[in-house]
Amino acid sequence: MSQNPFSIKKFNFDFNLINDFNNIHYVKDLWPVVYIISDGNVNEAYVGETTDAYARMSSHLKNNIKNKLSAVHLISSEKFNKSATLDIESNLIKYISGDGQYKLINGNVGLANHNYYQKKEVYWDIFKSIWDNLRAAGIAKHPINYIDNSDLFKYSPYKTLTSEQKSGLLVIMKNLLDNTYKNIIIEGGAGTGKTILAIFLFKLLNTTNEDFNFEEFGNDEFEFMEIVFELKRKFPNPKMALVVPMSSFRTTLKKVFKNIKGLNANMVIGPAEIVKDTFDIVIVDESHRLRRRVNLGAYFRAFDVVCEKLNLNKHTCSELDWIMKQSESTIYFYDENQSIKPSDVKKEDFDKLKVNCLTKTEYLKSQFRARGGNDYVNYIDNLLKCKLTNSDVIFNSKDYELILFDSIEDIVSEIKSRDIENGLSRVVAGYSWPWVSNKKDAKQDYDIEIENTRLKWNSTNIDWVNSEKSRDEVGCIHTTQGYDLNYTGIIFGNEITYDKATDQIKILKENYYDINGKQSIVDPEELKNFILNIYKTIMLRGIRGTYVYVCDKNLRDYFSQFIPKYRTEKETVFLKDHDVIPYVNSIPLYDLKVAAGNFSELQTVNDCQWIALPNTSKPSQDLFACKVIGESMNKIIPNGSICMFRKYSGGSRDGKIVLAEHTNIQDLDFGSGYTVKEYRSKKNMENEVWTHESIILKPLSDNIEYQDIILAEDELSNLKVIGVFECVL
């Protein structure tokens, strides 16, 4: 074997394969292995695991779909056991699907949702190394952190469902079988996984049973199998459509469907396209955004044409009526708190639908997007409804950042920093400024001016979140609803204030510039509900955190009672000896000048100070801190910053910022053999063995004097990666 704890061997996928396996002891000895069968011409692949590769490959070669593939990569290791191969198989399925280079023939994900010995400590790092090697072999294209942020990954039907999502899926399927019901309403707030559930159901009903792994459903396996088989008998070749009212999100989901075997982009349609055909099953995502004939602008004509074709009264019907007429069974994913415009179908219409004897209503309760969970969702709801009191604790979570900013410049800067670190971090605002930069004769290239900071609204309405310019622009509700972000920076505009006398949030209609969002509204309370829904919706976009800036002083003062404030100058808290609980409330701060030779035994170093562990970090004995001197990493790490690192214990380092030690390194800033740089590796493969050709330690600096540190193959034995950068403290 190579220096890696695994090997990857490539074979032609044909009937000579069985003979080729004779020299592979993992195959002969019935050892657990993982494999990828692929073909670069049709761009399709199949991922599996087995303890009997002979029998499994013979079976695949007889399969009329799989035997059209041309190559198989066999992944084996002395460290593999059945649990490990199931886990690696599952991760390969998820990440190959999210990578987008191959359509998977697999029906669904493997058994990933279980724990086993050293799953996180050892096997996740092994998987990351396997992935890097697959990238080098051309099987995979993108790095893992890139895929984690991609829509193909987030909305993939190859991801394991939560127990609540499985329960929701079971309820939906039972109701589809029950001829009593024509309409199924699934209520759930932002981030409850409604879109993922919809796509999973599409994949389930458009996949042959033999390619679907029902073991994922645990104790409910046989019940799921029985219901799925009944559904396939009732809908042997189902005509299905996913209706998505928002054009931007619809475009995104079309791309997702295009990359899933068995699905296609034409299955995702806008409400007006429902007139083209009748359907067995229609799923409506974000159904609270279906429209009625109010404030439609250029869409009035198209709306009237559909009503005429369906023989419906254009003045009294809505897109909801269109769908009910064209579908045999309809599933509506609905959240009344995400209705944001007067053109949206009224809540009363959905209430009327709910009491219909042909309708069944179910609920999704758990919040899966924001790491703050349901506690964060409830906190935001109570904050915007002014239900919090001075006795309530300021929001604090180790899993989620909620921070209030006093400076627009600071919040924009911090969001850009989070985007560099994590990707998908964007600034979003309420519609409190007109969109003037989009005019052909625009006299200015900005729309928003706050504290001498000038910002521009989104330059595109289509998939803005993923667009090239989005990091430097400001999005609105229409470009972000339905999307996930890692961090959201939210600007509360001048259309929203706080009345101290009544302890209520108030709306200033004259400062609200969404014309279609306020026309026809007479009742101020109705406009207030729409605008509060907008802010709540965008405050639930962030997976890792939400940053808030408030234009109105009264509202900012109100928020400051309940949201932690941003510290302009981050202070490192040095703890006194009697306050220190090592690796529980504190981490060691090492001085690089005196640390030489000690990092290999981090836990035994006594000559250090102890600093407070950030509230947002989970305690770990692998965490430590160092002061980073100089300008070589100033794009991410300011000179003199104290940074937190995680002790390196194996796995891929490529693309990560690391603290490294090498006898030949003479860093301009550190000296003494240490440096903090971005790690890049170049690899060679010869005789199925991977070796490093060179390692490049890259500065990330605005100063061009800092050059790459290049270590050739013969210098690598003296290189030691001490830790991986976590954040600036």
Side-chain angles (χ1 to χ4, degrees):
M1 285 187 59
S2 70
Q3 61 182 338
N4 286 325
F6 59 87
S7 71
I8 302 177
K9 295 185 180 296
K10 180 181 178 182
F11 304 89
N12 292 328
F13 188 60
D14 55 31
F15 283 98
N16 293 320
L17 178 62
I18 306 304
N19 293 329
D20 294 338
F21 275 179
N22 284 336
N23 296 323
I24 310 298
H25 84 82
Y26 293 106
V27 175
K28 291 190 295 183
D29 297 340
L30 300 181
W31 200 264
V33 295
V34 185
Y35 58 89
I36 304 167
I37 313 173
S38 63
D39 188 285
N41 292 320
V42 296
N43 292 328
E44 291 185 354
Y46 181 86
V47 179
E49 65 79 37
T50 183
T51 54
D52 190 345
Y54 284 116
R56 186 63 58 84
M57 293 302 147
S58 296
S59 174
H60 289 330
L61 285 166
K62 295 174 184 176
N63 183 286
N64 290 331
I65 296 176
K66 294 168 190 163
N67 63 19
K68 292 181 173 63
L69 306 180
S70 59
V72 57
H73 286 78
L74 188 73
I75 307 169
S76 55
S77 172
E78 293 175 356
K79 291 182 176 291
F80 281 180
N81 53 54
K82 186 66 174 178
S83 292
T85 54
L86 283 168
D87 189 36
I88 290 170
E89 174 204 33
S90 175
N91 281 322
L92 284 173
I93 290 172
K94 288 189 292 187
Y95 280 98
I96 288 176
S97 170
D99 189 46
Q101 184 160 247
Y102 288 94
K103 285 187 178 181
L104 285 176
I105 296 174
N106 297 70
N108 67 325
V109 76
L111 293 174
N113 198 21
H114 71 291
N115 288 317
Y116 60 92
Y117 181 60
Q118 293 187 319
K119 176 178 180 177
K120 294 181 179 178
E121 297 85 351
V122 173
Y123 289 99
W124 175 243
D125 285 333
I126 289 177
F127 171 74
K128 289 189 291 185
S129 295
I130 290 172
W131 187 259
D132 287 340
N133 289 346
L134 291 174
R135 289 179 68 196
I139 296 297
K141 183 178 180 181
H142 298 101
I144 284 175
N145 58 354
Y146 174 93
I147 296 172
D148 283 338
N149 285 327
S150 72
D151 292 320
L152 287 181
F153 184 76
K154 289 179 179 177
Y155 300 114
S156 169
Y158 294 103
K159 296 173 76 173
T160 303
L161 298 179
T162 65
S163 57
E164 184 170 88
Q165 287 172 324
K166 290 175 186 176
S167 299
L169 180 63
L170 190 61
V171 166
I172 290 172
M173 292 193 300
K174 286 180 177 178
N175 287 327
L176 284 174
L177 285 174
D178 189 340
N179 294 325
T180 305
Y181 301 113
K182 178 180 171 63
N183 308 298
I184 306 166
I185 297 177
I186 307 296
E187 293 210 50
T192 49
K194 300 183 293 294
T195 304
I196 291 173
L197 200 55
I199 296 173
F200 194 97
L201 185 60
F202 262 84
K203 178 63 175 170
L204 179 66
L205 294 180
N206 288 277
T207 298
T208 58
N209 293 332
E210 64 183 35
D211 282 328
F212 203 89
N213 180 5
F214 291 96
E215 292 179 44
E216 176 189 340
F217 298 101
N219 295 332
D220 299 320
E221 174 186 351
F222 295 108
E223 183 179 11
F224 264 93
M225 286 179 63
E226 184 178 342
I227 291 174
V228 169
F229 292 164
E230 285 188 50
L231 275 175
K232 297 284 182 72
R233 286 192 288 269
K234 182 176 181 180
F235 303 107
N237 188 24
K239 290 172 64 178
M240 298 179 67
L242 177 63
V243 175
V244 183
M246 303 97 73
S247 61
S248 177
F249 194 42
R250 185 163 65 245
T251 300
T252 297
L253 293 185
K254 279 181 175 289
K255 294 177 184 176
V256 173
F257 270 57
K258 183 181 178 181
N259 281 278
I260 299 172
K261 180 74 172 176
L263 308 185
N264 63 74
N266 293 333
M267 289 178 166
V268 183
I269 64 174
E273 294 175 87
I274 199 79
V275 73
K276 296 178 181 178
D277 208 342
T278 56
F279 297 88
D280 297 315
I281 301 172
V282 169
I283 300 177
V284 187
D285 199 10
E286 310 280 353
S287 61
H288 37 270
R289 295 306 318 280
L290 292 172
R291 287 168 290 185
R292 58 196 182 102
R293 200 178 187 276
V294 175
N295 297 353
L296 295 180
Y299 185 60
F300 268 117
R301 175 59 185 157
F303 186 94
D304 293 349
V305 167
V306 174
C307 291
E308 185 178 351
K309 288 182 178 179
L310 294 177
N311 197 26
L312 294 170
N313 186 327
K314 65 183 181 182
H315 297 293
T316 58
C317 80
S318 68
E319 292 176 342
L320 181 61
D321 297 295
W322 302 355
I323 290 163
M324 284 192 287
K325 187 164 186 176
Q326 296 297 95
S327 176
E328 183 66 29
S329 296
T330 312
I331 302 161
Y332 302 92
F333 289 103
Y334 177 69
D335 178 14
E336 65 181 70
N337 293 316
Q338 291 193 65
S339 177
I340 61 167
K341 297 175 85 172
S343 58
D344 293 345
V345 172
K346 287 185 175 181
K347 174 182 177 296
E348 290 81 359
D349 291 332
F350 275 98
D351 289 341
K352 189 184 300 182
L353 181 62
K354 289 177 188 177
V355 298
N356 189 306
C357 63
L358 298 178
T359 301
K360 184 72 177 294
T361 303
E362 302 290 347
Y363 301 90
L364 294 174
K365 297 178 182 179
S366 294
Q367 219 282 345
F368 303 117
R369 177 187 292 125
R371 292 182 177 177
N374 289 344
D375 289 343
Y376 172 71
V377 175
N378 294 333
Y379 200 89
I380 294 304
D381 187 59
N382 288 330
L383 176 73
L384 295 178
K385 290 178 179 177
C386 298
K387 291 184 177 180
L388 298 176
T389 67
N390 290 332
S391 62
D392 287 295
V393 179
I394 288 181
F395 182 84
N396 182 31
S397 170
K398 288 186 176 181
D399 299 314
Y400 199 81
E401 285 188 84
L402 176 62
I403 301 174
L404 181 65
F405 285 73
D406 288 330
S407 162
I408 188 68
E409 185 178 352
D410 285 340
I411 191 173
V412 170
S413 174
E414 286 296 308
I415 286 294
K416 287 183 177 179
S417 295
R418 296 299 82 74
D419 190 63
I420 291 171
E421 294 169 2
N422 305 283
L424 279 182
S425 300
R426 302 289 182 264
V427 176
V428 185
Y431 219 142
S432 189
W433 296 268
W435 192 9
V436 297
S437 65
N438 69 327
K439 304 290 190 297
K440 289 184 178 179
D441 57 347
K443 296 180 180 179
Q444 60 189 44
D445 61 355
Y446 64 92
D447 302 290
I448 301 167
E449 186 169 9
I450 306 171
E451 301 173 0
N452 298 319
T453 294
R454 292 176 172 178
L455 302 167
K456 184 178 181 179
W457 281 120
N458 46 273
S459 55
T460 179
N461 288 324
I462 304 300
D463 201 21
W464 171 78
V465 162
N466 297 304
S467 67
E468 187 177 345
K469 298 179 181 178
S470 56
R471 186 196 293 180
D472 299 314
E473 297 176 340
V474 178
C476 64
I477 181 63
H478 307 307
T479 55
T480 53
Q481 191 168 23
Y483 286 91
D484 292 346
L485 296 170
N486 282 320
Y487 285 87
T488 313
I490 300 172
I491 303 173
F492 279 73
N494 292 303
E495 87 283 21
I496 184 168
T497 184
Y498 173 76
D499 188 330
K500 295 180 181 179
T502 61
D503 185 27
Q504 291 295 315
I505 285 177
K506 291 180 60 178
I507 300 301
L508 304 177
K509 186 175 181 179
E510 64 274 16
N511 293 334
Y512 187 56
Y513 285 91
D514 188 352
I515 304 301
N516 292 328
K518 67 178 181 180
Q519 277 184 349
S520 78
I521 295 181
V522 178
D523 183 2
E525 200 63 26
E526 183 181 0
L527 179 62
K528 175 181 174 179
N529 288 336
F530 279 130
I531 292 176
L532 287 182
N533 280 353
I534 288 171
Y535 280 111
K536 181 177 180 181
T537 298
I538 58 179
M539 288 190 83
L540 300 181
R541 295 297 101 193
I543 297 169
R544 298 168 180 265
T546 298
Y547 297 165
V548 177
Y549 174 84
V550 183
C551 292
D552 181 83
K553 183 181 184 305
N554 288 339
L555 185 64
R556 185 163 62 245
D557 290 344
Y558 164 65
F559 277 8
S560 67
Q561 300 175 69
F562 307 107
I563 303 177
K565 297 190 75 172
Y566 172 72
R567 293 181 299 175
T568 305
E569 293 185 6
K570 296 184 178 181
E571 297 179 4
T572 302
V573 180
F574 292 85
L575 300 180
K576 296 180 180 179
D577 290 345
H578 61 271
D579 293 325
V580 172
I581 307 176
Y583 306 106
V584 176
N585 69 344
S586 56
I587 59 174
L589 172 63
Y590 295 112
D591 186 340
L592 290 179
K593 294 179 181 178
V594 299
N598 286 327
F599 275 109
S600 60
E601 299 293 338
L602 273 176
Q603 313 309 325
T604 66
V605 177
N606 296 316
D607 188 14
C608 66
Q609 294 176 289
W610 291 87
I611 59 175
L613 178 71
N615 289 332
T616 54
S617 298
K618 292 184 178 180
S620 170
Q621 292 198 358
D622 289 337
L623 295 176
F624 66 95
C626 293
K627 179 177 283 191
V628 177
I629 305 297
E631 302 291 341
S632 67
M633 296 294 291
N634 64 16
K635 287 185 177 180
I636 294 178
I637 303 174
N639 184 7
S641 297
I642 292 178
C643 299
M644 184 164 69
F645 294 85
R646 185 174 296 275
K647 181 182 177 183
Y648 176 69
S649 57
S652 175
R653 299 159 288 193
D654 202 32
K656 296 180 179 178
I657 296 172
V658 301
L659 168 62
E661 179 185 11
H662 194 282
T663 53
N664 293 339
I665 290 177
Q666 293 301 319
D667 190 283
L668 288 176
D669 297 321
F670 288 91
S672 67
Y674 291 102
T675 190
V676 175
K677 297 288 183 292
E678 185 179 77
Y679 183 104
R680 291 290 182 184
S681 66
K682 293 180 67 177
K683 294 180 179 179
N684 276 330
M685 183 178 181
E686 187 174 342
N687 297 324
E688 305 293 339
V689 176
W690 294 95
T691 58
H692 288 289
E693 177 183 328
S694 65
I695 297 296
I696 302 171
L697 301 175
K698 296 182 68 68
L700 300 176
S701 177
D702 294 321
N703 188 336
I704 61 174
E705 291 184 15
Y706 292 95
Q707 300 294 313
D708 292 350
I709 298 173
I710 302 175
L711 300 173
E713 183 179 359
D714 59 352
E715 299 177 286
L716 298 182
S717 60
N718 292 325
L719 176 68
K720 183 187 297 182
V721 173
I722 306 300
V724 178
F725 172 76
E726 290 276 309
C727 64
V728 175
L729 296 177

